[in-house]
Structure formats: structure tokens, C-alpha cells
């Protein structure tokens, strides 16, 4: 299959129309239309339905889009590893790391030890939240990830536990939201709640919601955010509370963590990679995690 035509097809799907895709690439619209038609002839199936609003995928088109994105990511990974070998490395490994890795010594220690023990492997780090990390691993954009998740969250991934942290109410020490030391979620029923958007950490989002439901509370959500740093800053400024791993408040003068009996959930820090991936660098990283357990 011609990768240039496949790239054009992916661009059209993501833009939602041939006209918009032609402007983004950029390429003349008639030429782009012809490339899509040639790809359909090569595949032997209609890939797109066209109407005045733009394009939509046929079943065959959806299949090609899902697998095509993964294929292009894998080709990009192969190219990166080839460049690494050309630069004198034996291999390359791209890892997603949580945006709060600086708060978790085990992550920094693991990365430092891997670099020290495997200097011939070019290591690239991508700072990403857990949800985007999982998607990037599945689609081949990164080789592995260190993220907060549970084994059941994505069956397409293989996991190795690194650490587990209790989830807690994280609030400002300087701007208390309750009059006394809180012992249950109900103490925060009316307080402003700042939370992750669901696409950032879907598994954790749902587990927190179940705790609210069991406590008979509808949280007063005032803000949804996509990253830990923003949430911590808003909480420290007294704009509300968040539910995060209790380690987030460790060593912070402005934050306090309350581990409550009716918030009996924890967050598992995992090394994750795509099932079936055959990678010596990932194997080496797994052995290092096992030694640290």
C-alpha cells in the first residue's frame, strides 16, 4: 500500500472533509480527491461516503483508519530506531511518563537507572496523562508508558505494577473548605470540586464517581482539567478540592491530603505496553521494574 495515499486518507478523515484536508496538507483539492480514489481502487473497497457536510467512513474505511493510524505510527517508530542506530545506539525506546513524575521518586529513579544500565539504547520521554498514554501505546505512537491505571482499564495492554497510592481529598492548607477535620466525603458535598476530565483518566474518573454515588452525593464540580499541574495550582489557590493520589500533597506546604473511609480507592502506577509487542528494550525495563519490587 502506498503510504502517501494512506497519509492523505488519514488527513481527510481527521479534517472531516477533503476541502479542509487539502488546505492543511497542503495539496490541490482535485489532486487529493484523485489520491483517495486511487487508494479505494487499490484497496478494492469504498472508504468514504461524501455529502455536502463532508465525509464519513464506511465500515471498510473505519477499519483502514483504525489500523492505518497504528501502521503509520509504527513506521515512524521504525524510522526513529533506524536513526538511533545510525547515531551509534543499538536500539530506541519511547516511554510516556505521567505529568507528575517529579512528585514520584520511583519514576525518576527507574528512568535514571535504565539510562545508566543501558547507555546504548536511546531513551525518549513523552509527558502525557494516563488516558492519552494508553491510546498512544495502542496506536504505536510510543513503545510503553508509566501511567496510573488498572489492569481492566484496557485489555489491549500488558501491565507490570510499579506502586500503588491511596486516593485522597487534596485541599488547600491555607484555605480550608471545612470547619473541622473531615472524616467522610459528605463534608465536601457543597464545596467546589476540581477534577480531571474523563478522557484524561477514564478509569479513575469512573471509580471516583462510584464513591460519590455510594455516599449519596452529587459533587459540586466547578472545573474539569486535563492535567495534574493545573489542578494542583487551582487547589493550592483555594479554588476548590480535588481527588488525587495522596502523594500529590507530600512535601507541599500549601496542600493537605485527607484519606477518608468512604473513599476506599487507590491508584495503581503501572508500566504498560501493547500486548504482543516484541521489544528487547521493553523486556529490559520490565526486568528493572521487577528488581525494584
Amino acid at each position: 500500500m502506498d503510504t502517501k495515499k494512506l497519509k492523505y486518507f488519514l488527513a481527510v478523515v481527521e479534517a472531516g472533509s477533503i476541502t479542509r484536508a487539502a488546505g492543511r496538507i497542503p495539496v490541490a483539492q482535485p489532486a487529493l480527491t484523485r489520491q483517495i480514489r486511487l487508494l479505494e481502487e487499490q484497496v478494492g473497497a469504498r472508504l468514504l461516503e461524501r455529502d455536502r457536510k463532508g465525509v464519513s467512513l464506511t465500515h471498510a474505511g473505519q477499519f483502514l483508519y483504525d489500523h492505518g493510524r497504528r501502521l503509520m505510527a509504527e513506521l515512524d517508530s521504525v524510522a526513529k530506531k533506524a536513526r538511533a542506530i545510525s547515531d551509534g545506539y543499538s536500539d530506541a525506546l519511547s516511554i510516556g511518563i505521567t505529568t507528575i513524575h517529579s512528585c514520584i521518586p520511583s519514576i525518576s529513579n527507574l528512568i535514571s537507572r535504565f539510562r545508566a544500565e543501558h547507555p546504548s539504547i536511546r531513551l525518549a520521554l513523552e509527558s502525557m496523562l494516563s488516558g492519552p498514554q494508553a491510546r498512544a501505546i495502542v496506536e504505536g505512537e510510543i513503545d510503553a508508558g508509566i501511567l496510573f491505571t488498572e489492569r481492566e482499564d484496557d485489555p489491549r495492554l500488558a501491565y507490570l505494577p510499579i506502586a500503588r497510592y491511596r486516593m485522597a481529598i487534596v485541599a488547600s492548607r491555607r484555605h480550608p473548605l471545612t470547619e473541622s477535620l473531615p472524616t467522610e466525603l459528605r463534608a465536601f458535598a457543597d464545596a467546589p470540586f476540581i477534577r480531571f476530565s474523563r478522557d484524561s483518566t477514564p478509569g479513575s474518573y469512573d471509580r471516583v464517581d462510584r464513591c460519590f454515588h455510594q455516599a449519596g452525593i452529587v459533587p459540586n464540580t466547578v472545573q474539569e482539567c486535563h492535567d495534574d499541574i493545573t489542578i494542583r495550582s487551582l487547589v493550592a489557590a483555594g479554588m476548590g478540592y480535588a481527588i488525587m493520589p495522596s502523594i500529590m500533597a507530600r512535601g507541599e506546604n500549601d496542600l493537605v491530603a485527607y484519606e477518608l473511609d468512604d473513599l476506599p480507592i487507590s491508584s495503581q502506577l503501572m508500566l504498560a505496553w501493547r500486548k504482543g509487542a516484541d521489544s528487547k528494550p521493553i523486556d529490559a525495563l520490565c526486568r528493572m521494574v521487577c528488581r525494584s519490587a
Side-chain angles (χ1 to χ4, degrees):
M1 181 181 295
D2 186 336
T3 56
K4 182 179 180 180
K5 292 183 179 65
L6 180 57
K7 285 182 180 178
Y8 283 167
F9 168 70
L10 297 176
V12 169
V13 175
E14 288 160 8
S17 79
I18 291 178
T19 302
R20 284 193 292 272
R24 292 178 185 179
I25 292 175
V27 65
Q29 184 175 332
L32 180 56
T33 299
R34 174 170 170 74
Q35 291 297 312
I36 297 300
R37 187 179 302 116
L38 289 172
L39 178 63
E40 290 179 322
E41 291 175 3
Q42 184 179 20
V43 172
R46 189 171 183 81
L47 303 173
L48 297 172
E49 298 290 353
R50 302 162 179 81
D51 58 34
R52 285 185 233 173
K53 295 181 180 179
V55 297
S56 59
L57 288 165
T58 63
H59 290 305
Q62 184 67 59
F63 178 86
L64 183 62
Y65 176 72
D66 292 340
H67 290 267
R69 288 186 64 188
R70 188 179 308 163
L71 175 62
M72 295 308 301
E74 288 177 353
L75 287 174
D76 184 58
S77 176
V78 168
K80 288 178 181 177
K81 291 181 180 181
R83 286 195 296 272
I85 292 170
S86 176
D87 291 340
Y89 292 91
S90 64
D91 210 330
L93 179 65
S94 57
I95 304 177
I97 56 173
T98 173
T99 54
I100 58 167
H101 74 276
S102 59
C103 301
I104 306 174
S106 58
I107 296 180
S108 299
N109 292 340
L110 180 64
I111 298 301
S112 297
R113 283 177 24 241
F114 186 87
R115 279 191 164 134
E117 293 185 22
H118 302 279
S120 65
I121 297 175
R122 173 178 280 175
L123 185 63
L125 302 179
E126 301 284 346
S127 181
M128 307 169 73
L129 288 168
S130 298
Q133 269 199 60
R135 289 192 292 273
I137 296 168
V138 169
E139 293 172 3
E141 295 174 5
I142 56 176
D143 299 314
I146 298 174
L147 63 158
F148 286 103
T149 188
E150 297 293 331
R151 292 182 186 275
E152 64 271 15
D153 285 350
D154 196 324
R156 297 169 295 181
L157 300 180
Y159 299 102
L160 193 59
I162 297 176
R164 184 173 286 277
Y165 300 100
R166 178 77 182 266
M167 296 291 277
I169 297 285
V170 176
S172 170
R173 195 184 300 274
R174 298 179 182 179
H175 305 277
L177 297 173
T178 61
E179 295 180 359
S180 58
L181 184 68
T183 59
E184 58 182 12
L185 275 174
R186 192 167 294 279
F188 295 90
D190 298 321
F193 179 38
I194 302 167
R195 74 182 308 176
F196 290 103
S197 59
R198 191 179 183 280
D199 61 349
S200 299
T201 54
S204 177
Y205 186 103
D206 293 342
R207 285 186 283 274
V208 168
D209 264 6
R210 284 194 290 270
C211 287
F212 279 124
H213 180 74
Q214 290 167 4
I217 298 169
V218 176
N220 176 26
T221 303
V222 296
Q223 183 72 52
E224 288 195 357
C225 302
H226 288 276
D227 68 276
D228 318 76
I229 306 303
T230 300
I231 290 179
R232 289 175 71 201
S233 298
L234 294 176
V235 170
M239 295 184 65
Y241 72 94
I243 296 180
M244 311 174 78
S246 58
I247 196 172
M248 291 291 291
R250 190 175 299 172
E252 293 287 338
N253 293 329
D254 293 337
L255 300 175
V256 60
Y258 302 108
E259 296 182 356
L260 307 178
D261 289 341
D262 57 353
L263 189 61
I265 55 175
S266 57
S267 190
Q268 177 76 66
L269 184 66
M270 296 272 204
L271 172 64
W273 64 99
R274 193 169 73 252
K275 282 183 178 177
D278 183 16
S279 168
K280 291 181 179 178
I282 292 177
D283 290 344
L285 188 59
C286 287
R287 288 194 297 271
M288 191 168 286
V289 170
C290 290
R291 290 204 309 266
S292 303

